[in-house]
C-alpha cells in the first residue's frame, strides 16, 4: 500500500498550478486534500510522474456570495462548506449534503473541488452541481472558461476538462423565494459510498404551485443523473398532485444505463434510487412549505 | 519513471510542540514520516488507504487521516499525535482514562486513532447524543471490542452517567 514514486510540485497560486499543468502535460495530476487520490495512488490504481499540490494555495480557498451566485473556490475543505453561514444562507443544499460525505476526518481534508473534479458517480457534490445548474470555472494557461454542470460530468471519474485545466471555482446559482431542498441517500454504513441517493430543489408560488424544481440522482450510473421528465411533470402542478412515489418512478425512468453488478443488481439499485428521490422530494416540499 | 532524487523538498513540521525537519521522499505519507523519521510509533497504520482510521492525528487542529496526507504536503503544519495527548509526566488524558475504565480496547491497535477522533468529537460536541457518538466513531474501525466499550468510554469522557450496560441516563 505504498504509492509509486512521483515528483512533487507545490503550487504558489492558481496561475502557478495552471502553468505547472501546462508544462508537465499528461503525466501530471493535481492533488489537494487527496482523500480520493491518495487511496488510488496507494492501491496503484493510478500513477503519475508528477503531483501538483494546491492544498496550500490561498487563492483557491474561500466562499463568496456575489448577488445571485455563490462562488466556492475549489480547494475549500468540505468542513468549511459544512460550517459556513454564507453557504447555509445561499445554497443550503450544500450544507445538507456535506455531513453525508465520508467521515468528519475525511471532510476536514477533502475539498469540494476535489470531489467534483474527481467525479465519482456516488459523490454528493456533483449531484448538487447538476441539480442546481452550477457553472465550473476552469483555468489553464490558455485562459478561463465556464463549463455547465450538465456538460461537465461525462462518466466514471471523467469530466470534460482538458488535462491541462484545473477546476478553479464552482459557481452555484442561489435559489430564493419559497424554496426548499432535500437530500436522501442509502449506504450500508454511515460514510460508505451510497448505493443510490438523490437531491431535490423546489420553488413554490403563493398558490402552492410548483414554479421551479430540480432533481438529480447519484450512484445510479456513471455520472449524476438529472430527472428531467419527472421535473417536467412536476412543473406547474400543485403540491400533492403527484405523489412522491410517482416522482421516484418517473425519475428512475430517465436513467438509461443504470449501474449493474453482482452485489447490486440494477433493479435493486433503481428501486433504492426511486425511494431516495421520493424522500428527498418530500423533504424539499416540506421545507418550502414551512421555510 | 520519475527521478525522485531531484528536487526533494525539505519539510518542517511541528509535532507535539517540537519542530521536526526532514527530506522525505514525496511518496512518503505523513503517517510513515511520523513513525519512521520522527520515531513516534503511536500512530498506527492499518489499511493505508483511508478506511480504518488507526492513523488519525490532529493536523492544524483538525482530526485527519495521516495515511492520506503526503509528508511534503504538511510543510508548516502543527501536528499532534497520540503521544502528545497525555501530559508530559505520562498522566493519561480524560479520553484515555475513560477508554481504560470502560474496557474500550482489547488488542489496542486501533486505540490511538479512536482516542484522537474521540478527543476531536468531544471538543466540537461536548455532550453528544448516542446517534452523534455512533456517527462520530464511524470513521474508525475496531475488530476486537464490538464498539460497546468504546461508546461507553465516550460517554464517561463526556461526563454522562452510564449504567452497567453502557446506557446513558
Amino acid at each position: 500500500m505504498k504509492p509509486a514514486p512521483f515528483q512533487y510540485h507545490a503550487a504558489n497560486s492558481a496561475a502557478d498550478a495552471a502553468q505547472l499543468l501546462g508544462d508537465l502535460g499528461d503525466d501530471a495530476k493535481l492533488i489537494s486534500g487527496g482523500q480520493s487520490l491518495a487511496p488510488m495512488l496507494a492501491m496503484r490504481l493510478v500513477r503519475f510522474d508528477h503531483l501538483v499540490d494546491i492544498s496550500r494555495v490561498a487563492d483557491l480557498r474561500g466562499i463568496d456570495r456575489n448577488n445571485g451566485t455563490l462562488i466556492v473556490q475549489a480547494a475549500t475543505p468540505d468542513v468549511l462548506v459544512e460550517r459556513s453561514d454564507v453557504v447555509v444562507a445561499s445554497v443550503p443544499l450544500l450544507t445538507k449534503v456535506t455531513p453525508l460525505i465520508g467521515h468528519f476526518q475525511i471532510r476536514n481534508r477533502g475539498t469540494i473541488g476535489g470531489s467534483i473534479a474527481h467525479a465519482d458517480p456516488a459523490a454528493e457534490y456533483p449531484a448538487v452541481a447538476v441539480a442546481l445548474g452550477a457553472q465550473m470555472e476552469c483555468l489553464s494557461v490558455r485562459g478561463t472558461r465556464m463549463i455547465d454542470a450538465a456538460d461537465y460530468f461525462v462518466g466514471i471519474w471523467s469530466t470534460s476538462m482538458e488535462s491541462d485545466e484545473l477546476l478553479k471555482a464552482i459557481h452555484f446559482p442561489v435559489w430564493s423565494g419559497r424554496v426548499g431542498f432535500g437530500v436522501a441517500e442509502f449506504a450500508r454504513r454511515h460514510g460508505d459510498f451510497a448505493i443510490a441517493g438523490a437531491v431535490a430543489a423546489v420553488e413554490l408560488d403563493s398558490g402552492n404551485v410548483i414554479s421551479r424544481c430540480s432533481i438529480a440522482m447519484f450512484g445510479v450510473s456513471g455520472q449524476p443523473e438529472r430527472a428531467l421528465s419527472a421535473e417536467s411533470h412536476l412543473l406547474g402542478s400543485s403540491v400533492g398532485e403527484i405523489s412522491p412515489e410517482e416522482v421516484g418512478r418517473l425519475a428512475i425512468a430517465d436513467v438509461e444505463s443504470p449501474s449493474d453488478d453482482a452485489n447490486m443488481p440494477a433493479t435493486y439499485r433503481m428501486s433504492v434510487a426511486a425511494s431516495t428521490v421520493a424522500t428527498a422530494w418530500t423533504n424539499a416540499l416540506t421545507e418550502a412549505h414551512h421555510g | 519513471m520519475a527521478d525522485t532524487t531531484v528536487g526533494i523538498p525539505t519539510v518542517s513540521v511541528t509535532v507535539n510542540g517540537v519542530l521536526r525537519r526532514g527530506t522525505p521522499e514525496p511518496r512518503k505519507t505523513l503517517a510513515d514520516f511520523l513513525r519512521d523519521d520522527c520515531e513516534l510509533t503511536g500512530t498506527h497504520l492499518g489499511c493505508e488507504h483511508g478506511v480504518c482510521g488507526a492513523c488519525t492525528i490532529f493536523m492544524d487542529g483538525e482530526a485527519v487521516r495521516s495515511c492520506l496526507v503526503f509528508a511534503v504536503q504538511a510543510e508548516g503544519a502543527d501536528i499532534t499525535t497520540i503521544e502528545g495527548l497525555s501530559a508530559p509526566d505520562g498522566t493519561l488524558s480524560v479520553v484515555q482514562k475513560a477508554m481504560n475504565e470502560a474496557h474500550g480496547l482489547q488488542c489496542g491497535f486501533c486505540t490511538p486513532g479512536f482516542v484522537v477522533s474521540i478527543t476531536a468529537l468531544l471538543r466540537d460536541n461536548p455532550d453528544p447524543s448516542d446517534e452523534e457518538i455512533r456517527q462520530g466513531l464511524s470513521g474508525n474501525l475496531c475488530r476486537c471490542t464490538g464498539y460497546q466499550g468504546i461508546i461507553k468510554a465516550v460517554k464517561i469522557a463526556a461526563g454522562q452517567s452510564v449504567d452497567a450496560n453502557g446506557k446513558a441516563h
Side-chain angles (χ1 to χ4, degrees):
Chain A
M1 283 295 179
K2 307 293 182 190
F6 55 81
Q7 285 194 48
Y8 175 77
H9 310 263
N12 301 315
S13 64
D16 187 32
Q19 186 67 52
L20 282 163
L21 287 182
D23 292 346
L24 296 168
D26 287 352
D27 295 331
K29 182 74 173 174
L30 220 55
I31 185 166
S32 185
Q35 300 299 288
S36 300
L37 185 59
M40 293 175 80
L41 290 166
M43 292 187 278
R44 303 205 182 190
L45 294 171
V46 293
R47 58 195 297 172
F48 298 96
D49 289 340
H50 303 273
L51 287 192
V52 175
D53 185 11
I54 55 167
S55 63
R56 282 170 286 140
V57 173
D59 65 341
L60 284 172
R61 282 179 176 229
I63 298 165
D64 287 298
R65 171 85 178 259
N66 183 0
N67 297 321
T69 307
L70 180 80
I71 303 169
V72 186
Q73 298 300 316
T76 305
D78 301 345
V79 63
L80 298 185
V81 175
E82 189 172 358
R83 293 177 185 167
S84 165
D85 294 336
V86 178
V87 170
V88 75
S90 306
V91 185
L93 189 52
L94 286 174
T95 312
K96 288 178 194 286
V97 305
T98 304
L100 302 175
I101 301 169
H103 311 284
F104 76 89
Q105 301 89 339
I106 300 285
R107 299 194 294 276
N108 283 338
R109 187 91 190 134
T111 66
I112 186 169
S115 169
I116 286 175
H118 181 58
D120 191 288
E124 291 84 357
Y125 284 145
V128 173
V130 166
L132 299 182
Q135 297 280 316
M136 312 304 176
E137 182 184 339
C138 302
L139 179 70
S140 72
V141 289
R142 294 169 284 119
T144 298
R145 65 167 174 152
M146 304 297 273
I147 304 177
D148 195 285
D151 304 319
Y152 184 82
F153 302 99
V154 296
I156 297 171
W157 302 332
S158 299
T159 72
S160 52
M161 282 198 301
E162 301 294 334
S163 64
D164 69 338
E165 282 184 305
L166 69 97
L167 178 60
K168 186 183 179 303
I170 307 100
H171 297 232
F172 293 95
V174 174
W175 288 33
S176 50
R178 290 186 70 206
V179 295
F181 304 91
V183 59
E185 71 174 42
F186 183 72
R188 280 186 278 196
R189 290 168 293 267
H190 179 83
D192 274 13
F193 288 107
I195 291 165
V199 295
V202 65
E203 180 177 349
L204 303 177
D205 71 12
S206 55
N208 285 335
V209 170
I210 293 157
S211 56
R212 190 181 186 190
C213 67
S214 183
I215 296 168
M217 292 164 281
F218 51 96
V220 297
S221 70
Q223 61 282 316
E225 294 276 356
R226 183 99 179 249
L228 291 170
S229 62
E231 292 173 21
S232 68
H233 277 84
L234 288 163
L235 205 60
S237 73
S238 295
V239 171
E241 202 178 315
I242 302 174
S243 74
E245 292 71 25
E246 180 63 12
V247 176
R249 277 192 292 275
L250 289 164
I252 59 169
D254 278 347
V255 181
E256 282 177 13
S257 311
S259 300
D260 187 28
D261 57 67
N263 287 328
M264 223 61 71
T267 47
Y268 173 68
R269 199 183 287 272
M270 287 302 104
S271 85
V272 172
S275 168
T276 59
V277 166
T279 304
W281 177 251
T282 303
N283 292 347
L285 275 183
T286 304
E287 187 174 89
H289 258 300
H290 304 293
Chain B
M1 183 176 295
D3 180 354
T4 56
T5 61
V6 175
I8 292 180
T10 301
V11 175
S12 302
V13 292
T14 304
V15 184
N16 303 329
V18 178
L19 185 64
R20 305 271 189 166
R21 286 198 182 85
T23 51
E25 201 184 341
R27 64 169 165 161
K28 182 174 253 184
T29 65
L30 179 57
D32 281 333
F33 179 76
L34 292 168
R35 289 177 56 82
D36 300 346
D37 298 44
C38 302
E39 299 185 334
L40 293 168
T41 54
T43 297
H44 289 174
L45 279 162
C47 72
E48 297 190 289
H49 65 283
V51 173
C52 77
C55 68
T56 307
I57 56 152
F58 281 105
M59 181 173 175
D60 293 329
E62 301 290 354
V64 304
R65 299 191 177 330
S66 59
C67 76
L68 296 187
V69 180
F70 293 110
V72 288
Q73 294 188 284
E75 168 62 26
D78 185 22
I79 308 286
T80 303
T81 67
I82 185 70
E83 289 91 345
L85 289 182
S86 51
D89 68 358
T91 304
L92 298 180
S93 73
V94 170
V95 173
Q96 288 171 315
K97 277 182 201 153
M99 286 286 274
N100 182 330
E101 189 182 328
H103 301 287
L105 60 144
Q106 287 178 31
C107 87
F109 191 87
C110 68
T111 311
F114 267 102
V115 169
V116 171
S117 291
I118 295 167
T119 303
L121 173 70
L122 293 178
R123 179 196 64 188
D124 295 342
N125 184 0
D127 190 26
S129 67
D130 276 22
E131 179 60 26
E132 287 167 340
I133 292 171
R134 284 165 189 275
Q135 268 200 19
L137 298 182
S138 66
N140 292 77
L141 300 182
C142 172
R143 299 284 83 143
C144 298
T145 63
Y147 300 101
Q148 301 309 313
I150 302 173
I151 291 166
K152 188 176 172 186
V154 179
K155 293 177 179 176
I156 291 170
Q160 299 172 359
S161 57
V162 176
D163 68 18
N165 296 318
K167 301 286 182 201
H169 296 287

